[in-house]
Amino acid sequence: MMNLQQYLKSHIFLKDEAIFIADSHYSKQNEKLYTLLLKIKNNEIKTKQIFLVGDIFHLLLDFRYLIEYNKKVINLIDEIGLSKEVYYFEGNHDFCLNGIFKNVKILKELKKDGICINHGDIYIKDKFYKFYTRFIRNKISMSIVNVITLNFINNWMFKKLINKKIKCEKMEYFEKLAQEKISFYQDCNLIIEGHYHQNKIYKNYINLPSLYCQNSFLYLKNGQFIEKSI
């Protein structure tokens, strides 16, 4: 992948053997994430620091139906969080997570030591998408809609969204996207995002592999990002 050995070794924040998992889109029809987490729990994959970079679940919000549906993996992540640092960056499929996890740090983004991490849909130019994500990520808004629609969200929309197919196509305009992304991060020496399922690097911008699409994650070892399969 990318050799950032000298830079990364000078920063204490990212620990050696850190793991970056993005866009696994866990559902009962897709248990790749559960398989990987079990390997981490059982120390088949050694790590002390885990970054879950959004869309980890195909759909997870603070609603009873979704918590129950995803309970097996929620509990496993919390169990791992007892012995390892776990950072969970909210995505556009998993948000309003405060209160769901006990042993996990829930974040929208992180900027530290010149390293910037978020799911990947915070800094974009699309104004409609910005409005949409702000609305759906507001728990009060979602709760009101749920009440108004007589639990329509729980009874129909959640179940429909859980079965929605995920796109894994390669972007022809990835470099243009990466250049645009870099322009948003003036104070960042290294940018790490998911969201686009591209598994590519452009200059100091890393778009993480999607566990769902590429069956892989990034592993930091001796200052190098290494792509590993589950």
Side-chain angles (χ1 to χ4, degrees):
M1 291 294 291
M2 182 179 185
N3 192 333
L4 298 166
Q5 192 166 6
Q6 296 302 317
Y7 178 74
L8 290 171
K9 279 195 169 183
S10 67
H11 291 76
I12 298 173
F13 169 60
L14 289 184
K15 296 180 179 178
D16 196 41
E17 300 183 334
I19 287 176
F20 294 80
I21 303 168
D23 299 281
S24 48
H25 291 276
Y26 169 80
S27 72
K28 291 179 180 178
Q29 291 74 45
N30 164 39
E31 295 211 328
K32 295 174 186 177
L33 175 67
Y34 186 69
T35 300
L36 175 56
L37 292 174
L38 280 178
K39 289 182 178 181
I40 293 171
K41 177 196 166 189
N42 296 329
N43 290 317
E44 295 175 45
I45 300 172
K46 296 186 182 302
T47 183
K48 294 180 180 178
Q49 192 178 52
I50 302 164
F51 296 87
L52 303 173
V53 193
D55 287 4
I56 299 304
F57 295 84
H58 200 24
L59 191 62
L60 179 60
L61 293 79
D62 192 8
F63 286 92
R64 184 180 300 172
Y65 174 82
L66 294 176
I67 293 172
E68 286 298 317
Y69 180 89
N70 294 299
K71 192 170 184 179
K72 177 173 74 172
V73 175
I74 291 171
N75 290 343
L76 183 54
I77 291 173
D78 250 340
E79 186 177 352
I80 291 170
L82 289 170
S83 58
K84 308 176 193 300
E85 289 181 23
V86 181
Y87 298 85
Y88 195 130
F89 296 84
E90 294 186 329
N92 54 300
H93 284 248
D94 42 5
F95 46 89
C96 300
L97 302 180
N98 288 314
I100 295 178
F101 296 93
K102 298 176 182 177
N103 307 309
V104 175
K105 295 178 182 177
I106 305 298
L107 302 165
K108 286 183 173 59
E109 65 176 324
L110 180 64
K111 294 181 178 181
K112 191 170 183 177
D113 294 342
I115 297 169
C116 300
I117 308 170
N118 69 70
H119 174 59
D121 67 334
I122 294 179
Y123 300 108
I124 57 173
K125 291 183 178 180
D126 188 329
K127 292 182 180 179
F128 174 79
Y129 185 83
K130 282 184 179 180
F131 172 79
Y132 163 73
T133 54
R134 284 175 185 168
F135 177 80
I136 65 170
R137 284 173 172 153
N138 186 307
K139 187 179 178 183
I140 295 174
S141 298
M142 295 298 288
S143 296
I144 290 172
V145 170
N146 201 35
V147 170
I148 291 174
T149 58
L150 301 175
N151 289 322
F152 172 76
I153 291 177
N154 279 354
N155 295 335
W156 183 80
M157 194 171 86
F158 284 161
K159 295 173 185 177
K160 186 174 179 66
L161 289 174
I162 284 171
N163 292 309
K164 184 180 178 181
K165 291 185 178 180
I166 299 299
K167 294 180 180 180
C168 295
E169 291 91 352
K170 292 293 183 182
M171 289 181 172
E172 295 181 3
Y173 56 92
F174 176 76
E175 286 193 7
K176 182 179 179 181
L177 170 72
Q179 289 170 355
E180 181 180 297
K181 288 287 185 172
I182 290 169
S183 71
F184 286 113
Y185 295 93
Q186 297 298 317
D187 300 323
C188 300
N189 298 316
L190 177 63
I191 303 157
I192 301 174
E193 293 187 339
H195 187 57
Y196 298 100
H197 307 168
Q198 293 304 294
N199 189 21
K200 287 186 178 181
I201 295 170
Y202 177 82
K203 295 183 178 180
N204 64 326
Y205 175 76
I206 298 177
N207 190 253
L208 295 167
S210 159
L211 188 64
Y212 178 88
C213 294
Q214 284 94 26
N215 298 310
S216 61
F217 59 96
L218 288 193
Y219 188 72
L220 182 62
K221 185 67 176 176
N222 297 324
Q224 291 183 309
F225 282 111
I226 301 167
E227 183 180 356
K228 284 184 171 275
S229 298
I230 54 174

